Structure formats: structure tokens, C-alpha cells
Amino acid sequence: MSIARDWGETTASAEWSGLPKELRDALARELDPDEKLLWAGCPVAWRVAIGGMTASVFLAIVALLFGIAFFGIALDLWHEFEKLRSAGLAPSPIDGPTKGRLLVAASLGVVITASGLFLLLSPLRILANAKKMIYALTNTRVLVVCVSRRGRVRVRSLEPGHPLELTRLEHRDGSGTIVIGARVPGNTSREFSLIGTREPREVERRIRQTFGPK
């Protein structure tokens, strides 16, 4: 979404053009009657989702390895029992304790492997959720609005104070991350991040002009 260079050209209708209707409606419901929209835009979805996707894939691989390990334990127990039964040292059918160990190992293998396979699908869900986010800047706050697949809306907002602490990271594709540092009661700091922001330099400029010292 292109950002107007001239503040005088900024209007709500211009800022909302091109945004998905579902996100536009969610943001419209969030704005107060006297709140003025200065900028709104959807982030680069994969930039937002990459952290969660990487973690999900890592956990999926770990779960699959553990699942395979438990299947291997169950298989070893079965082979050991077969050897003992062939030598006449184990009863037939399989005795209670050995059967219990086999069932536990096999069940754990099934559950953990299924969990790993489910986690492999998580990146798709994480990416889909990232595509339903919108960032916005108003004359009073910075917002992140997320709309879930079930229609639930989650909103995070920050009213930056002074001194204004901004950190910007730019990527080669033109997107970037803006981190807004804020002081909360107790003199502790809080960070509010806009990950995958398009044209981050212009967005940062707008934040500074809106909340910086007058």
C-alpha cells in the first residue's frame, strides 16, 4: 500500500483504499468517534509468521523423532519377546507385563507422531492468521488488529509517551520492523512491534510526527 508523502494528502478514505473489507470493517469498529486515522496497512504476512513457523517446524521435527524412537522401543520389545518365546523362555500368548510395556511404547509413538504431523500443518495456520492483520496509526495511538478465522477480533494498542523510543529494521524487499519503546508504571519498559511493515521509514516518520515533541 502506497503511503502519501504529504501529510496534507492523508485522508481516511485514501488510507483505507485497497485494504480487505473484513479488516477495514474491524478497524472501523475499533476507532473512537473523534479518533482520526492517519495511516493503515497490512504487513508482509510471511515476515510476521516466520518466527512462529520456524518454531512449529522445529517442534514438529522433535516430536516426530521422539515418536519414531518410541515405535523403535515397541519394536525392540516385540523382537525380544519373540526370541524368548522361540527359545521356550516366554509364554504364549504374550504375558501381561510385556504386553503393557508394548502398549505404552506403541501408544506414545502414535500420540507423539500424530502431534508432530499436526505441528507440520501449523505454519499454514500461522501464515493464514498473519494475512488477517492490519496495522494502523491514529492521532492518539498505534494499533494492531487481528481477525481470526472464526471472526474473533484481537486488538493491541499503544499510546506512545515521551521520550519516544523507536527502532527500525529494514529488509531488502522494502519491508521492515518498527519497535516502539514505551514506559509503563514502575518505570519498566515495554516494546510494541510492527513486524513486516511496508515502507517502514515512512511509517516511522509518521509516528514521530504524530507523537514526537511539538
Side-chain angles (χ1 to χ4, degrees), residues 67-87:
I68 293 172
F70 278 108
F71 277 126
I73 291 172
L75 189 61
D76 287 342
L77 288 172
W78 176 257
H79 285 164
E80 188 65 26
F81 175 78
E82 284 296 313
K83 289 179 182 179
L84 293 175
R85 188 171 63 176
S86 299

Side-chain angles (χ1 to χ4, degrees), residues 1 19-20 23 39-49 127 129-136 144-146 175-176 193-199:
M1 178 179 177
L19 296 177
L23 297 178
W39 168 81
C42 295
V44 178
W46 73 268
R47 289 282 186 193
V48 178
L127 184 60
N129 290 337
K131 290 180 179 179
K132 292 194 173 186
M133 294 180 63
I134 184 171
Y135 298 156
V144 177
V145 179
C146 308
S175 66
S193 300
L194 302 179
I195 303 172
T197 306
R198 303 174 193 272
E199 299 187 51

